Amino acid sequence: MSTTTITVVFLLLLSTSAAFRLSNVFGSNMVFQRNKNISIWGWTTTIEDEIIVKMQDLFAKANVNKTTGFFNVNLPPQKASLIGRNITFTSSNTKQTITLANILFGEVILFSGQSNMEFVLPAAINATSEIATADDYPYLRFFSGTQQNVDTLISSKINKFNVTHNELKYIHLNWSISSSSVVGGCQDISGACDTCCGNPMPAMDPKGSYVSAIAFLTARKLFHLLNQTVPVGSVIQAYGGTSIQYWMSSDALS
């Protein structure tokens, strides 16, 4: 890959604290969609000259809104690869560095809907045998967002579904590599417990998994259909009991 430099206007912040962070929708082990522009964002409260972004021999500079501290960087499209890469973000003033490690580029699927989508792998009839296969698929990655009715988005406009939200209030499963422990959930609790490893248990789940059965089985099948050369990332955002209209576009409804 040839060295590419993206020049973006950078604005100073009128703040003195030393911190910057990425949105919580990003994490190590995640999968970005292949052959599409890569957008990564976050916030800073420092007076920055610039934030340098590096991925192998690719360099970029992030632009920052001096009022909100919001910054965003766009990286060029990448081909599918099974080789993990690191993306580092470095503050020029504080020298603080954030690293997204073991990043893959492949296919990313959003699994949204009601309880039949939320239905987790440990609740399936053939759960034991399916969970056991998860260790053989390290190129499948899973992310599970908010699910229960206590969840809210960080915004005063939570009922505005056409408003962009830059992050979730919390997440149930950050980007994780497929394994029997990830898709199988916690095994050290009784069926009477309503929490697992300190987190609320998702619906229909006796073992604390946050991996949808449909997400795992679909991702695994797609990986094979793509000749096991393209990683697959699954973003699970399902909520049992919700009205199906909320998961449909206005065009689909009309």
Side-chain angles (χ1 to χ4, degrees), residues 22-39:
L22 300 179
S23 170
N24 63 5
V25 300
F26 301 105
S28 295
N29 303 315
M30 72 179 295
V31 179
F32 282 104
Q33 178 63 45
R34 61 172 172 166
N35 303 327
K36 297 288 185 180
N37 288 330
I38 304 160
S39 182

Side-chain angles (χ1 to χ4, degrees), residues 1 10 20 29 41 46 54 60 85 88 111 169 190 199 212 215 230 232 241 246 249:
M1 182 187 301
F10 191 96
F20 77 97
N29 303 315
W41 59 89
T46 62
K54 181 178 184 294
R85 283 179 272 182
T88 60
F111 293 91
K169 183 175 181 180
S190 69
N199 298 316
S212 158
V230 179
V232 180
Y246 291 117
S249 68

Side-chain angles (χ1 to χ4, degrees), residues 147-163:
Q147 294 173 307
Q148 280 79 22
N149 58 6
V150 297
D151 295 353
T152 56
L153 294 170
I154 300 179
S155 173
S156 60
K157 302 177 181 179
I158 60 173
N159 295 321
K160 302 293 185 181
F161 298 107
N162 60 343
V163 173

Side-chain angles (χ1 to χ4, degrees), residues 45-232:
T45 56
T46 62
I47 300 177
E48 299 288 352
D49 291 328
E50 59 188 11
I51 292 177
I52 302 298
V53 183
K54 181 178 184 294
M55 183 177 68
Q56 292 183 319
D57 59 351
L58 177 66
F59 293 87
K61 297 179 182 180
N63 62 319
V64 176
N65 183 303
K66 72 175 182 179
T67 301
T68 64
F70 181 83
F71 67 85
N72 180 71
V73 64
N74 292 294
L75 300 175
Q78 303 293 309
K79 295 180 180 180
S81 174
L82 299 179
I83 299 175
R85 283 179 272 182
N86 292 347
I87 306 176
T88 60
F89 303 77
T90 303
S91 161
S92 62
N93 284 354
T94 67
K95 307 305 180 184
Q96 178 187 359
T97 296
I98 297 173
T99 300
L100 296 179
N102 194 23
I103 300 300
L104 298 176
F105 296 90
E107 290 298 315
V108 180
I109 310 174
L110 172 63
F111 293 91
S112 65
Q114 303 165 302
S115 56
N116 54 355
M117 182 64 77
E118 185 180 3
F119 187 93
V120 291
L121 192 60
I125 293 175
N126 55 341
T128 301
S129 60
E130 295 293 0
I131 290 171
T133 69
D135 293 322
D136 299 326
Y137 294 93
Y139 303 113
L140 304 186
R141 309 291 172 84
F142 300 97
F143 175 96
S144 180
T146 53
Q147 294 173 307
Q148 280 79 22
N149 58 6
V150 297
D151 295 353
T152 56
L153 294 170
I154 300 179
S155 173
S156 60
K157 302 177 181 179
I158 60 173
N159 295 321
K160 302 293 185 181
F161 298 107
N162 60 343
V163 173
T164 298
H165 299 277
N166 289 319
E167 65 177 1
L168 297 170
K169 183 175 181 180
Y170 63 87
I171 56 179
H172 291 312
L173 179 68
N174 208 334
W175 284 99
S176 300
I177 300 172
S178 175
S179 70
S180 54
S181 60
V182 166
V183 304
C186 304
Q187 306 293 322
D188 58 350
I189 61 172
S190 69
C193 294
D194 60 359
T195 61
C196 177
C197 297
N199 298 316
M201 288 181 65
M204 306 173 69
D205 177 17
K207 297 180 180 178
S209 170
Y210 291 108
V211 176
S212 158
I214 293 177
F216 175 75
L217 297 174
T218 301
R220 187 180 67 184
K221 183 175 182 63
L222 179 59
F223 184 66
H224 281 281
L225 288 173
L226 295 173
N227 298 317
Q228 302 184 56
T229 60
V230 179
V232 180

